[in-house]
Amino acid sequence: ASSDLPDITANRSASNLRQLRSQLTRMIASHPADQQAGHQIQALASRHPDDWQLRELARTHPRCLAAQTWQPVPIEDLLRLADNRALRLVQNESQLSDVVAESLLRLQDLLSRPNGWAVLLWHREDFKAASGWWPAWEEDLSDLVATLLQYDLAASQVIINREVQVIRPGLNGRRTDVHVQARLAGTLTRTEPLTVIIECKGCWNDDLDRGLSDQLVDKYLSIPGPRAGIYLIGYFDSPRWDRAKHPGREHGSHELELIKADQERIARHEALRKSVTVRAFVLDCRLPG
């Protein structure tokens, strides 16, 4: 009889595992106020589309989350929003990411205008650029983005009831990321702020196709907290680029729309796989004409 004990124990363990597996999703869903739980349920439902229970949980959990976390907007804030179209109501990192993306669209407009800012991101040896142009470095792109955000967000006060800070860590050429942080006005400094991390890459970067997942998501967004990420690519491929200048940035020519489509696909995949808020954004930094 003692020889049967291992089989009984194994069967009991297998039964317990099956029971745990059948209840696991409902255990996750029992925390409706947890946004990470919602991300996990959505990811599981995508991986197992034939499981009707997962589909139902993926449908109902966001409603429970919204019901528990929704807070009414004070009437004075609604009036301010109605009176000023530049104002935005930011309550989470995803909404802060939307605000930063709007600011980047305004930067794109400034870059693309005739005699626009794009020329600030190119070098030339003389006024006439007789020997051609070549792009600035990724750090220069980060500095321009940080400066624009500081003016457009912090100085313009476009976020209701939030104090915004734009940080460009490591102005020594070793960092290419920009941090946009917003905390409730009047809160203590120890309160964890909403944070959007912008990782900047030039289109020539050897890690262009891996940077969003390996660096931005796995390194920066893996830290717990209200964080979102924007993978910002500066697109410089132009016939006016003198490739002989500053060698080391050789790469096959890219199509802007293809880069944009590829990076947006990677961002969607990582957002689902890692349950993070991340997007890709391509800035057209080509010289006018």
Side-chain angles (χ1 to χ4, degrees):
S2 60
S3 62
D4 295 333
L5 287 176
D7 293 336
I8 295 174
T9 303
N11 291 335
R12 185 175 300 167
S13 298
S15 176
N16 290 339
L17 284 174
R18 285 194 297 271
Q19 186 178 10
L20 175 62
R21 185 176 63 181
S22 66
Q23 297 178 356
L24 186 58
T25 53
R26 297 203 174 273
M27 292 170 61
I28 296 174
S30 66
H31 300 279
D34 187 349
Q35 191 172 20
Q36 292 297 320
H39 287 316
Q40 293 296 334
I41 292 173
Q42 293 288 345
L44 288 170
S46 297
R47 293 174 191 168
H48 305 282
D50 296 332
D51 191 319
W52 70 269
Q53 290 181 318
L54 279 176
R55 293 200 308 271
E56 182 65 13
L57 285 174
R59 184 180 67 84
T60 58
H61 188 274
R63 296 181 180 179
C64 294
L65 177 63
Q68 288 205 0
T69 59
W70 178 79
Q71 295 181 352
V73 180
I75 186 62
E76 57 270 20
D77 286 345
L78 283 175
L79 292 175
R80 291 172 62 196
L81 286 166
D83 187 58
N84 187 347
R85 294 180 60 186
L87 291 177
R88 295 292 182 269
L89 181 64
V90 171
Q91 297 175 317
N92 55 50
E93 67 277 13
S94 179
Q95 292 172 346
L96 180 60
S97 177
D98 291 339
V99 170
V100 175
E102 289 181 5
S103 188
L104 291 175
L105 285 173
R106 289 189 284 272
L107 174 58
Q108 181 63 78
D109 177 64
L110 292 170
L111 290 170
S112 304
R113 292 179 182 180
N115 300 317
W117 287 14
V119 71
L120 300 176
L121 291 172
W122 289 80
H123 297 303
R124 53 184 174 176
E125 288 184 352
D126 54 49
F127 176 74
K128 294 183 179 180
S131 58
W133 301 74
W134 65 97
W137 301 103
E138 290 173 339
E139 290 77 12
D140 301 316
L141 175 61
S142 294
D143 291 341
L144 183 66
V145 169
T147 302
L148 183 280
L149 292 176
Q150 285 170 347
Y151 173 79
D152 200 40
L153 298 182
S156 300
Q157 295 295 313
V158 298
I159 301 176
I160 286 184
N161 295 334
R162 294 272 177 181
E163 295 176 348
V164 182
Q165 184 178 16
V166 180
I167 307 169
R168 167 76 165 90
L171 290 175
N172 52 11
R174 292 185 296 177
R175 299 283 293 274
T176 58
D177 55 308
V178 178
H179 296 185
V180 180
Q181 295 185 330
R183 67 174 73 248
L184 282 173
T187 57
L188 298 176
T189 56
R190 65 173 177 268
T191 303
E192 189 169 11
L194 306 176
T195 302
V196 174
I197 301 174
I198 306 173
E199 176 61 29
C200 297
K201 286 281 190 290
C203 60
W204 59 82
N205 194 293
D206 291 338
D207 296 325
L208 186 67
D209 291 335
R210 301 185 299 271
L212 191 152
S213 56
D214 294 352
Q215 187 171 3
L216 180 57
V217 172
D218 291 345
K219 182 179 179 182
Y220 295 143
L221 300 186
S222 63
I223 301 173
R227 295 166 176 258
I230 296 179
Y231 192 58
L232 182 63
I233 299 170
Y235 182 79
F236 291 86
D237 283 347
S238 167
R240 302 174 71 179
W241 180 352
D242 186 346
R243 303 287 176 147
K245 298 293 183 182
H246 291 276
R249 290 191 274 184
E250 295 85 358
H251 64 283
S253 189
H254 304 92
E255 293 291 336
L256 186 147
E257 292 302 324
L258 288 179
I259 289 183
K260 182 178 179 181
D262 286 343
Q263 294 300 328
E264 288 178 348
R265 174 184 53 80
I266 295 172
R268 289 192 298 269
H269 175 76
E270 290 297 307
L272 182 62
R273 187 172 70 93
K274 297 290 183 63
S275 300
V276 294
T277 301
V278 65
R279 71 174 75 198
F281 196 104
V282 180
L283 272 178
D284 187 351
C285 302
R286 292 174 294 182
L287 288 166

